[in-house]
Amino acid sequence: MRVLGIETSCDETGVAIFDSEHGLLGDALFSQVEMHAEFGGVVPELASRDHVRKLLPLVSEVFAQAGLPRGQIDGVAYTAGPGLIGALLVGASTARSLAMAWGVPAIGVHHMEGHLLAPMLEDNPPTFPFLALLVSGGHTQLVRVDGIGRYRLMGESLDDAAGEAFDKTAKMLGLGYPGGPRVAALAEQGVAGRFTFPRPMTNRPGLDFSFSGLKTSVLNTVTDHQQQGVLEPQTQADICWAFQDAVVDTLVIKCKRALQEARLKRLVIAGGVSANKALRERLEAALRPMQGEVFYARPRFCTDNGAMIAYAGCQRLLAGERQDLQVQVRPRWPLSELTPPSAG
């Protein structure tokens, strides 16, 4: 089965074609980062308009990459939520229109299910069951995964997501947008031990996260140094190192705890923050004594992309799931509300 995937949940327009027998046939992505950078964050109306401009040219591009005539597919998958309502509507209405014109089914995909299944696109995919750490700008969740649509939430952030904390730390330091990758890059120049930040909620039972206190601790440190004069580049790097170390340490502690509780040895990390080099290395080192394995997607599939949506949609269509023609998007959509694929 060949499925066209469309991702427009936020500030990246992603389109891909996935073949259930031959894998990824075409993949194209346009990032709006440069456009939103001058505003210090995503402007929803600008994001929606840019999706309108870029989406159909990207569809043509992936069909050319795949060497297929336009419309020679078996289904269309699109991100139905969560995300920015206007951006979601652009992708959903385009996907439904194309599916109707080509006479194939269309299916709405949960954005985080796409991220969760992105490592399945790799040469060494995980097998069910496994524990997933979904870690991005909007989500930090620990989920037990027993199959497609069979998810049990074990823990989540009670306030800021880890990626959001990265972005806010970057803003405090004046590093610009997008902040997460800039904090990670600057952390590589930092010196260990100069600053120490808290590991929130690791000294108590449970699998939930909280990063607001860590963010406040960073803010207080930045403010103290600003009051003493100029915030020197090395001080910025040292703060980034200490902040990243605290986030990574917290995530590692909770992942180990969750794996032991679930009696699992396979861990999938997904979402934008899963591209963080320090997080990958620390998780692999932590799971080695447990004979555990860590799975993740290549960096380009950690951030929003059409390939993960095409894959997730393909799995549900293969299982016989069908949806009516109504365009439905959900800006808020708990992953726990998903169910296994069912014929419709």
Side-chain angles (χ1 to χ4, degrees):
M1 175 178 278
R2 293 187 192 129
V3 175
L4 174 71
I6 293 175
E7 155 60 26
T8 61
S9 65
C10 191
D11 61 342
E12 285 160 323
T13 313
V15 182
I17 296 176
F18 178 80
D19 187 305
S20 57
E21 293 185 4
H22 303 289
L24 199 61
L25 303 182
D27 172 47
L29 181 72
F30 179 81
S31 175
Q32 302 174 1
V33 165
E34 187 175 335
M35 178 179 67
H36 296 293
E38 66 174 295
F39 303 102
V42 178
V43 181
E45 180 62 25
L46 294 180
S48 301
R49 292 181 182 184
D50 208 54
H51 287 311
V52 172
R53 285 190 290 266
K54 300 298 191 304
L55 187 51
L56 288 179
L58 290 178
V59 170
S60 297
E61 182 179 334
V62 297
F63 273 105
Q65 285 182 20
L68 297 172
R70 281 171 61 96
Q72 193 172 320
I73 54 171
D74 304 299
V76 181
Y78 62 92
T79 303
L84 302 175
I85 184 68
L88 291 170
L89 283 170
V90 173
S93 58
T94 302
R96 286 287 178 189
S97 299
L98 292 174
M100 187 178 299
W102 295 333
V104 298
I107 189 166
V109 171
H110 192 291
H111 181 72
M112 296 312 294
E113 180 172 61
H115 276 304
L116 188 153
L117 298 176
M120 299 294 189
L121 294 164
E122 302 304 319
D123 294 334
N124 179 35
T127 56
F128 302 117
F130 56 78
L131 177 74
L133 171 66
L134 296 176
V135 56
S136 67
H139 298 80
T140 304
Q141 298 177 324
L142 284 166
V143 182
R144 181 188 170 101
V145 180
D146 290 298
I148 304 293
R150 298 174 61 195
Y151 311 130
R152 181 169 71 85
L153 182 66
M154 298 181 68
E156 63 183 336
S157 180
L158 304 179
D159 39 59
D160 293 353
E164 185 179 3
F166 265 92
D167 289 339
K168 289 181 177 178
T169 294
K171 194 169 185 177
M172 294 175 205
L173 294 169
L175 300 182
Y177 173 85
R182 299 188 183 195
V183 170
L186 199 54
E188 294 184 2
Q189 303 171 33
V191 176
R194 183 178 175 187
F195 300 105
T196 302
F197 295 127
R199 277 66 172 155
M201 298 182 69
T202 57
N203 60 349
R204 67 184 77 172
L207 298 173
D208 287 332
F209 302 89
S210 172
F211 292 105
S212 62
L214 170 59
K215 180 188 66 180
T216 300
S217 184
V218 172
L219 176 61
N220 291 338
T221 301
V222 171
T223 301
D224 288 345
H225 280 79
Q226 286 175 334
Q227 290 175 345
Q228 297 171 17
V230 178
L231 193 63
E232 297 178 350
Q234 187 58 53
T235 299
Q236 287 184 317
D238 294 344
I239 289 173
C240 287
W241 189 96
F243 164 77
Q244 179 175 267
D245 188 58
V247 172
V248 169
D249 206 19
T250 300
L251 295 174
V252 169
I253 290 169
K254 295 286 184 169
C255 283
K256 288 177 63 178
R257 191 179 295 177
L259 285 166
Q260 292 167 350
E261 183 175 311
R263 298 182 180 179
L264 295 172
K265 291 189 176 182
R266 287 184 291 273
L267 173 69
V268 163
I269 53 173
V273 182
S274 70
N276 184 282
K277 182 180 177 183
L279 177 61
R280 293 184 177 196
E281 292 176 349
R282 292 274 294 279
L283 281 172
E284 288 174 349
L287 266 61
R288 207 169 290 126
M290 303 167 56
Q291 296 183 319
E293 295 180 275
V294 182
F295 299 86
Y296 41 77
R298 70 198 80 168
R300 68 174 296 165
F301 293 149
C302 291
T303 54
D304 296 349
N305 63 87
M308 68 181 191
I309 302 303
Y311 178 86
C314 185
Q315 304 315 302
R316 287 186 171 271
L317 288 170
L318 281 171
E321 183 169 328
R322 297 294 184 270
Q323 296 174 355
D324 58 34
L325 295 177
Q326 185 178 3
V327 174
Q328 291 184 321
V329 296
R330 298 180 60 178
R332 295 183 181 276
W333 189 3
L335 185 66
S336 58
E337 293 183 6
L338 284 184
T339 57
S342 58

